[in-house]
Amino acid sequence: MEDKHKILELLNRKRNVLLMGAPGTGKSKVMNDVARAFEDGGSKLKQPSHVHGASIPIPAIAMPNGLELPMLQKKNRKVFRTTLHQNSKYRDFLTGIVPEFGSVGGYKINEGILYRANEFAKQADSAALLIIDELNRGPAIEVFGGSIVAIENDKRLGEDNSVLPTTQFFEIIDPVSGGMIEYAFSPNLYILSAMNQADASVAPLDVAFMRRWQSYKLEPNYEVLYNVFNMIPSSVLPTVFNDASDVYHVAFRALEKINTLIAIGRGSEYQLGQGVFLSTKPKDDSKDAALQFVLEAWAIIYSHIEELFFGDGISIGYIINASSPLSPYELVEVSFAGETKVILKSNSITTNNIFDLYYSIAGREQ
């Protein structure tokens, strides 16, 4: 089953899902897929078309998935999107007083995106999906405020917006009256968030906050690369490149090896996903275009490794197999202030040596 189908099922049961994974594992793509499936009701059919030479000229088209989820049966479905950042405020998510610009001036009560999504979900025969990207890049605890407990599945209102014994209320400023009111969430509000676990520049999310989410982790998916580039995976590495597929084969295998070592050295959440080879496309099907393509990808891969092991030339050299005679990198001992230091040096990385570099990594025995 595809990731989007699993996530839709989790959303239907848990209401709040947190998409996790290393950079480049396709979190943004999956969120877009889930959003489209939610809007389409998860069962949009393709139009049948004529297939030349087939035993059945116009074959039937099966349902793309068998999902019959209550959330997808609602007549009115709407997706809301936002991204957390350092300047995100509680008023941006729920409600709050903000300046009103213009000839009159003064203040108004802002309706945040979580408030608007919930109000839509409370309407008859409606469901709302709120997508929050980069959840850990903003002040998530401050942004959700008193709603942290209320977002839990078993703390919501009843299906008809009735108050249940377990319903959790919290106070907000009512945009209509301007006074403080008790507020709760609809069971037809679904929240899908995403975060990059490898972000060393941001603080970890609060454990109590994390408990309110059903996590779903994406791993690097190398099969996607072979499918996109119309290749068949093979355990035999080409020692020379006769065509573009040889170049891609060695580069993809090198990424696998690098991720294996990163998982050992730093942890699996710091690996690099298949997206490093999917953000752009080769100019054409030639060997030269393939070499240029993987050369550009190497700049991203090396920057990622360098960030993870900043200042540790030995670890970086080990991961990229600098000791290989094929590698343009080299670990060199130098004397500094009476001590022996090991630094990583390299020749220019070009299309002339990029294949050998990837091969030295992919073909290593350890």
Side-chain angles (χ1 to χ4, degrees):
M1 184 183 291
E2 292 184 29
D3 289 317
K4 68 178 180 182
H5 298 160
K6 295 177 183 177
I7 292 171
L8 283 167
E9 290 185 334
L10 282 176
L11 282 168
N12 191 71
R13 288 189 289 113
K14 302 293 186 178
R15 297 302 189 275
N16 312 310
V17 175
L18 177 56
L19 198 56
M20 308 170 75
T25 48
K27 295 184 291 296
S28 295
K29 179 182 182 303
V30 169
M31 286 195 296
N32 287 333
D33 289 344
V34 170
R36 282 193 293 269
F38 181 84
E39 291 176 322
D40 293 341
S43 59
K44 191 173 183 179
L45 292 176
K46 296 180 179 179
Q47 291 297 321
S49 58
H50 180 270
V51 179
H52 181 72
S55 56
I56 302 176
I58 305 180
I61 301 295
M63 295 278 283
N65 59 67
L67 298 179
E68 294 183 0
L69 306 175
M71 62 187 289
L72 301 180
Q73 305 307 312
K74 298 293 183 180
K75 181 179 179 181
N76 305 306
R77 297 178 305 277
K78 186 174 181 180
V79 176
F80 297 77
R81 299 174 186 263
T82 190
T83 300
L84 270 188
H85 52 81
Q86 292 180 344
N87 290 326
S88 295
K89 307 292 183 185
Y90 177 83
R91 66 193 183 196
D92 301 325
F93 261 59
L94 286 156
T95 63
I97 299 173
V98 297
E100 186 170 24
F101 299 100
S103 58
V104 178
Y107 295 87
K108 66 177 181 179
I109 299 173
N110 185 61
E111 297 182 356
I113 192 165
L114 178 55
Y115 175 85
R116 287 184 278 117
N118 188 55
E119 288 298 297
F120 183 89
K122 289 166 68 175
Q123 297 176 26
D125 204 14
S126 298
L129 172 62
L130 172 59
I131 292 180
I132 308 172
D133 203 0
E134 303 286 2
L135 183 67
N136 59 332
R137 284 218 163 262
I141 306 302
E142 292 84 349
V143 162
F144 277 85
S147 70
I148 290 177
V149 176
I151 65 172
E152 292 183 39
N153 183 32
D154 61 348
K155 304 294 193 300
R156 307 287 188 94
L157 294 167
E159 183 65 33
D160 58 352
N161 294 319
S162 60
V163 178
L164 304 177
T166 55
T167 299
Q168 179 75 34
F169 287 90
F170 60 100
E171 282 194 331
I172 65 168
I173 302 175
D174 183 11
V176 178
S177 68
M180 300 299 295
I181 61 171
E182 288 194 327
Y183 196 69
F185 290 123
S186 166
N188 298 312
L189 169 68
Y190 305 89
I191 308 175
L192 175 60
S193 297
M195 61 175 281
N196 183 353
Q197 293 175 279
D199 277 336
S201 59
V202 296
L205 288 175
D206 182 82
V207 175
F209 181 68
M210 292 284 285
R211 285 202 305 267
R212 270 72 190 188
W213 303 84
Q214 174 67 49
S215 62
Y216 186 91
K217 188 172 182 179
L218 293 178
E219 303 286 353
N221 189 341
Y222 311 108
E223 183 179 348
V224 170
L225 293 175
Y226 292 105
N227 289 338
V228 169
F229 286 82
N230 297 315
M231 297 167 54
I232 300 176
S234 172
S235 59
V236 180
L237 277 177
T239 56
V240 295
F241 52 95
N242 295 312
D243 53 35
S245 65
D246 291 335
V247 177
Y248 299 135
H249 187 184
V250 169
F252 300 161
R253 288 283 297 279
L255 178 62
E256 290 188 57
K257 180 64 71 173
I258 287 170
N259 276 337
T260 298
L261 297 175
I262 287 176
I264 296 172
R266 284 299 305 273
S268 61
E269 64 270 25
Y270 292 97
Q271 297 179 96
L272 192 58
Q274 67 279 0
V276 68
F277 288 111
L278 298 175
S279 58
T280 59
K281 294 181 179 180
K283 186 175 65 174
D284 52 47
D285 296 331
S286 67
K287 290 187 294 184
D288 289 341
L291 290 170
Q292 182 62 39
F293 178 76
V294 299
L295 174 64
E296 293 168 358
W298 176 253
I300 301 173
I301 294 171
Y302 184 76
S303 293
H304 181 73
I305 298 171
E306 197 172 36
E307 180 183 1
L308 293 181
F309 298 93
F310 182 76
D312 186 359
I314 294 178
S315 293
I316 297 173
Y318 178 72
I319 288 177
I320 64 176
N321 202 17
S323 61
S324 169
L326 291 176
S327 177
Y329 292 90
E330 181 184 10
L331 287 171
V332 179
E333 291 187 353
V334 297
S335 178
F336 177 78
E339 295 183 2
T340 300
K341 302 283 187 179
V342 178
I343 62 173
L344 185 65
K345 289 186 173 182
S346 71
N347 299 317
S348 296
I349 311 301
T350 68
T351 54
N352 293 324
N353 57 19
I354 190 63
F355 179 87
D356 287 341
L357 171 57
Y358 278 118
Y359 184 84
S360 68
I361 298 169
R364 66 188 298 171
E365 295 182 358
Q366 57 179 359

